[in-house]
Amino acid sequence: MGDKSGKLQMKTEDLAHSNLATLQALFPNAVTETIDEDGKVVRAIDADALAQEINTHVVSGKEERYQFTWPDKAKAKLAANAPIRATLRPCREESKDFDNTENLYIEGDNLDVLKLLRETYLGKVKMIYIDPPYNTGNDFVYNDNYKVDSDQWDEMSGDYDQDGNRMVKNLDSNGRFHTDWLNMIYPRLRVARDLLRDDGVIFISIDDNEVENLKKICNEVFGEGNFVAGIVWQKKTSPDARMDISAAHDFIIIYAKHRNDSTYLLNTIAYDEERLKNFKNPDNDPRGVWASVDVTGQTGRAPKSQFYEITSPSGKKYLPPEGRCWAMAEKTFYELYADNRLWFGENGNNRPRVKKFLSESDGVRPWTWWDNKFASHNQEGNQELMELFDGKLIFDNPKPTMLLKRIIELATKKDEPCLCLDFFSGSGSLGEAVMRLNAHDGGKRRFILIQIPQVLSDKGNDFKANNVATLLGFTNLCDIGKERIRRAGEKIVARSVVSDQWPVDSDERLLDMGEEGSNQCDTGFRVLKLDSSNMKDVFYTPQEYAPLIRNLDDLVDNIKEDRTAEDLLFQVMLDLGIPLSAKLDTRQIDGVTVHYVEGDYLAACFDAVTDGIVTKIAQSRPKYAVFRDSSFASDNTLVNFEQIFMTYSPETIRKVL
């Protein structure tokens, strides 16, 4: 085939090999060859040569250095970079508004899903929020064994899961209590960082059990200089009398992809009703209501120009209070005075204050203490879920949507299509928060939620809500998350109908309605499920199957029998880096179904094709054209396929699977 043709890889990139290639391009003399434990010649890094190229001190061996480490850390790094052969299969029947929505709900192990998303969403996510297991001794954590066999795992931990479960209880009696949690969270954060935009931020909820370890991991993954803040969120409204000291808070750790001290990374927060009461206009200023603020500051290293006498309109003279100075130079002060931006009280006799106009303010910058008036609390999170499910609590302590809306407000802008990701999505609180905030301010935010389909059990008291959920027919946690988003979306749409029975409040406004009365807020979601690759092993390693292949017909079966054309389409989209929310269309060309994505960006046909069909596809001039091997009945058809595209659309990139 020509330069525009080739085979699709249909697997994620091996980042270790990619990093080696980058290093080789920078320092070719640092790449060498050696013999591995199997006796094979492999490429390797010459640490001594690399150290000379870097021209700085390199720590090696047992030389003391500052570091944060734990058992299996090296394997956790490998887990982040290792390629996988997997795919995301669409599930229309469990989706809502599949063809129009730009939101995604993905079922599956989040490490594998994040790897699949890495190519397509590299540097495209504005905000990540996660609420991972807190490691309290009862939480489930992902049991990633990094391909260690059972004997090795048994030797390492004494807790090998004979059933192959990927989630186990990390009891505090386990000798690997912190190790297992660190091995779980580390590779996921490594991959998640790649998804963030350069101006992106990640918010991570955690409690006292792992907050120190989490910060150390984040310092390594994101860089210590990219730490933004540690929020203390008041999650409860009253203490627990059964405890010596009741935990009233959780932490929310914030890191940036690339922090820039010269610009604000986060937005301001709109004034709440309590603060708005401070804005008045007693002097009928044409600029509108204002609130006054103090004009003094701490002396510190203040210059002499900030120590001067002020005369009020009534003639009373003022010097800065003892130990203070004026907050601006005398020249600036009188410029504000001339512009009627100073307030000396109704009688003009008080010490001056500066007028801050509401019309000139974007809001306030939050601090690191978020009380439950500002960001709600766990009880409200429970109440919100119960309101959606007829008074029944089917998930323990979901995060309240007000907390998440505060986070989204800080990290995203309503007038750009910001992508919000949660890969420990639980009951789906982030999805509801995104929809509600869009409904409130007309925003264009989208969400991607990822959740492993953790099986619910009606036995035991570990998760009290599980008992209720299973009685309602939910079998796993994803069932709860999807149904929550459906019901929340329906509630938002119902409230959008102009009605005297539903007054607009400070939290949500009436949604903008289109000409036909359709809801402009995206309350749908496209469900995708993690599965093994659509391709059989012969696709990836045909050389191993060559002795077994007797004729060309054996090659037809390189795709698994239970996979649909739409399954193949989504794996192709992943391989080509096309967003999984892209618009889909099917066209019938001479009785054959051709799948088009984002207009004519991608044309994919998985049925047998004729020269006429290929010609019509080529005439649509797609960016990519994808066919199956079995689409071509003979070598002549394959040759004609190339010639047709060279004639009608030579710039089309042709791929075969």
Side-chain angles (χ1 to χ4, degrees):
M1 293 186 182
D3 293 339
K4 293 291 183 177
S5 301
K7 274 272 191 179
L8 286 169
Q9 297 300 311
M10 306 295 272
K11 63 180 179 180
T12 62
E13 183 182 6
D14 187 335
L15 287 192
H17 286 288
S18 177
N19 293 337
L20 180 61
T22 301
L23 191 63
Q24 185 174 16
L26 293 173
F27 311 110
N29 62 317
V31 179
T32 184
E33 294 179 354
T34 187
I35 305 295
D36 68 7
E37 59 272 15
D38 297 324
K40 297 180 180 179
V41 178
V42 295
R43 289 188 300 172
I45 300 297
D46 186 329
D48 293 333
L50 181 60
Q52 292 174 357
E53 290 288 348
I54 296 174
N55 194 27
T56 188
H57 184 73
V58 177
V59 181
S60 62
K62 296 183 178 180
E63 188 175 349
E64 291 183 351
R65 85 290 304 265
Y66 176 80
Q67 62 178 329
F68 177 52
T69 190
W70 63 89
D72 296 339
K73 182 178 180 180
K75 291 180 179 177
K77 290 182 178 180
L78 291 175
N81 293 332
I84 59 170
R85 296 175 184 173
T87 190
L88 297 175
R89 301 177 66 184
C91 184
R92 283 182 172 269
E93 59 272 20
E94 296 180 21
S95 303
K96 178 181 178 183
D97 199 17
F98 184 95
D99 288 319
N100 299 307
T101 184
E102 294 189 74
N103 300 317
L104 300 177
Y105 188 98
I106 305 177
E107 296 187 23
D109 176 274
N110 53 15
L111 179 57
D112 288 346
V113 173
L114 288 171
K115 288 182 179 182
L116 289 174
L117 297 181
R118 179 158 44 190
E119 181 76 19
T120 301
Y121 294 95
L122 183 69
K124 294 182 179 178
V125 175
K126 183 63 174 72
M127 187 275 289
I128 298 176
Y129 169 79
I130 58 171
D131 183 17
Y134 284 2
N135 211 21
T136 62
N138 288 310
D139 292 318
F140 283 93
V141 298
Y142 290 72
N143 181 13
D144 294 312
N145 62 18
Y146 317 123
K147 300 185 183 300
V148 176
D149 63 43
S150 59
D151 291 337
Q152 288 176 299
W153 183 257
D154 194 40
E155 181 180 343
M156 290 163 58
S157 69
D159 191 26
Y160 179 71
D161 188 346
Q162 298 291 342
D163 297 327
N165 294 321
R166 293 180 66 85
M167 298 189 75
V168 296
K169 263 191 182 178
N170 197 29
L171 301 175
D172 53 12
S173 58
N174 178 7
R176 295 169 53 91
F177 181 63
H178 290 291
T179 295
D180 284 344
W181 191 86
L182 293 168
N183 284 333
M184 178 275 295
I185 199 68
Y186 183 79
R188 288 162 174 81
L189 291 178
R190 283 278 297 259
V191 182
R193 182 190 180 277
D194 294 339
L195 303 184
L196 281 175
R197 289 170 24 172
D198 283 345
D199 62 346
V201 285
I202 183 170
F203 297 74
I204 308 173
S205 286
I206 201 69
D207 71 353
D208 292 295
N209 289 289
E210 296 291 354
V211 64
E212 294 92 350
N213 286 334
L214 178 64
K215 280 201 66 177
K216 290 174 182 175
I217 282 184
C218 288
N219 284 342
E220 180 172 326
V221 172
F222 298 97
E224 189 172 357
N226 287 317
F227 172 71
V228 177
I231 302 296
V232 179
W233 169 54
Q234 186 185 12
K235 66 178 180 179
K236 292 185 178 180
T237 57
S238 60
D240 187 343
R242 298 170 298 177
M243 306 178 69
D244 287 334
I245 298 180
S246 179
H249 70 279
D250 276 345
F251 298 100
I252 302 174
I253 306 302
I254 310 173
Y255 278 81
K257 177 75 170 285
H258 295 295
R259 191 174 186 187
N260 186 345
D261 291 334
S262 64
T263 59
Y264 284 116
L265 182 72
L266 301 175
N267 305 318
T268 56
I269 294 291
Y271 292 108
D272 57 27
E273 293 182 4
E274 194 65 30
R275 285 178 177 266
L276 287 174
K277 293 178 182 178
N278 296 323
F279 286 85
K280 300 176 182 179
N281 193 2
D283 60 347
N284 295 316
D285 194 302
R287 286 165 291 200
V289 296
W290 50 267
S292 66
V293 297
D294 189 18
V295 295
T296 67
Q298 295 180 348
T299 55
R301 298 182 180 179
K304 292 182 179 180
S305 61
Q306 289 180 229
F307 296 88
Y308 49 90
E309 185 178 78
I310 289 174
T311 302
S312 73
S314 68
K316 189 172 183 178
K317 299 184 182 298
Y318 287 96
L319 289 171
E322 185 177 353
R324 306 281 289 179
C325 65
W326 299 120
M328 72 283 290
E330 188 173 8
K331 179 177 181 295
T332 303
F333 177 87
Y334 282 104
E335 287 174 352
L336 294 174
Y337 182 83
D339 195 28
N340 192 27
R341 289 181 177 270
L342 296 174
W343 177 246
F344 293 86
E346 292 184 4
N347 298 320
N349 197 40
N350 297 345
R351 197 175 72 191
R353 295 173 65 85
V354 174
K355 294 157 66 174
K356 296 292 184 181
F357 294 94
L358 183 61
S359 60
E360 298 175 352
S361 175
D362 294 328
V364 295
R365 297 210 165 271
W367 57 350
T368 55
W369 165 243
W370 291 9
D371 63 19
N372 50 45
K373 292 181 180 179
F374 177 78
S376 194
H377 46 80
N378 280 343
Q379 186 175 349
E380 174 134 349
N382 288 337
Q383 187 63 36
E384 287 176 335
L385 203 58
M386 291 172 68
E387 288 178 1
L388 291 174
F389 288 91
D390 305 320
K392 297 179 175 62
L393 183 63
I394 62 172
F395 185 87
D396 287 308
N397 294 321
K399 290 294 183 286
T401 55
M402 182 182 287
L403 170 67
L404 299 180
K405 284 195 292 181
R406 292 299 191 195
I407 290 172
I408 300 167
E409 281 180 307
L410 283 174
T412 68
K413 299 184 183 300
K414 67 177 183 179
D415 54 353
E416 63 177 66
C418 296
L419 191 55
C420 305
L421 169 66
D422 182 353
F423 53 91
F424 287 95
S425 66
S427 69
S429 297
L430 183 74
E432 180 177 350
V434 168
M435 294 188 299
R436 291 179 65 178
L437 190 55
N438 283 343
H440 173 61
D441 62 13
K444 302 176 182 178
R445 307 167 189 89
R446 298 166 289 150
F447 64 77
I448 298 178
L449 305 184
I450 305 171
Q451 177 59 47
I452 195 169
Q454 177 184 335
V455 176
L456 302 174
S457 173
D458 59 357
K459 298 178 181 178
N461 295 316
D462 296 328
F463 293 94
K464 297 177 182 178
N466 283 0
N467 299 324
V468 178
T470 53
L471 289 175
L472 292 177
F474 298 110
T475 60
N476 63 58
L477 191 49
C478 292
D479 292 342
I480 294 176
K482 288 177 291 189
E483 185 62 19
R484 185 218 180 118
I485 303 170
R486 287 190 198 98
R487 296 190 182 200
E490 291 168 0
K491 183 178 179 182
I492 290 171
V493 172
R495 287 184 170 184
S496 72
V497 178
V498 179
S499 170
D500 294 336
Q501 281 73 44
W502 187 68
V504 181
D505 58 28
S506 61
D507 181 53
E508 293 169 340
R509 63 169 176 80
L510 294 180
L511 300 180
D512 293 331
M513 307 297 289
E515 292 181 0
E516 299 177 358
S518 60
N519 182 2
Q520 299 302 300
C521 177
D522 185 356
T523 60
F525 55 94
R526 185 175 284 183
V527 174
L528 304 169
K529 298 188 178 185
L530 179 70
D531 207 332
S532 61
S533 172
N534 295 309
M535 316 306 293
K536 294 181 179 178
D537 290 342
V538 65
F539 176 87
Y540 299 102
T541 55
Q543 67 280 0
E544 296 180 10
Y545 291 84
L548 304 177
I549 297 175
R550 296 184 299 275
N551 54 59
L552 191 61
D553 292 337
D554 291 325
L555 290 174
V556 174
D557 297 326
N558 65 347
I559 296 174
K560 295 175 181 176
E561 289 79 5
D562 65 335
R563 304 305 165 93
T564 67
E566 200 159 68
D567 289 336
L568 295 177
L569 179 65
F570 271 80
Q571 189 162 3
V572 168
M573 290 165 62
L574 280 171
D575 206 76
L576 296 178
I578 299 174
L580 299 174
S581 59
K583 299 298 182 185
L584 309 180
D585 182 30
T586 57
R587 306 175 194 173
Q588 294 297 314
I589 300 178
D590 295 344
V592 170
T593 299
V594 181
H595 299 267
Y596 280 85
V597 179
E598 287 296 325
D600 295 327
Y601 187 79
L602 164 66
C605 184
F606 307 117
D607 298 329
V609 295
T610 63
D611 289 356
I613 294 173
V614 174
T615 298
K616 291 179 180 178
I617 293 174
Q619 288 174 337
S620 67
R621 301 180 65 83
K623 172 73 173 179
Y624 292 96
V626 177
F627 299 85
R628 286 179 61 172
D629 262 335
S630 59
S631 296
F632 310 109
S634 65
D635 290 341
N636 287 335
T637 306
L638 184 59
V639 171
N640 292 340
F641 153 77
E642 283 295 311
Q643 292 177 342
I644 290 169
F645 269 94
M646 290 304 297
T647 300
Y648 293 100
S649 187
E651 295 304 312
T652 295
I653 300 172
R654 288 91 67 192
K655 297 290 184 180
V656 176
L657 56 88

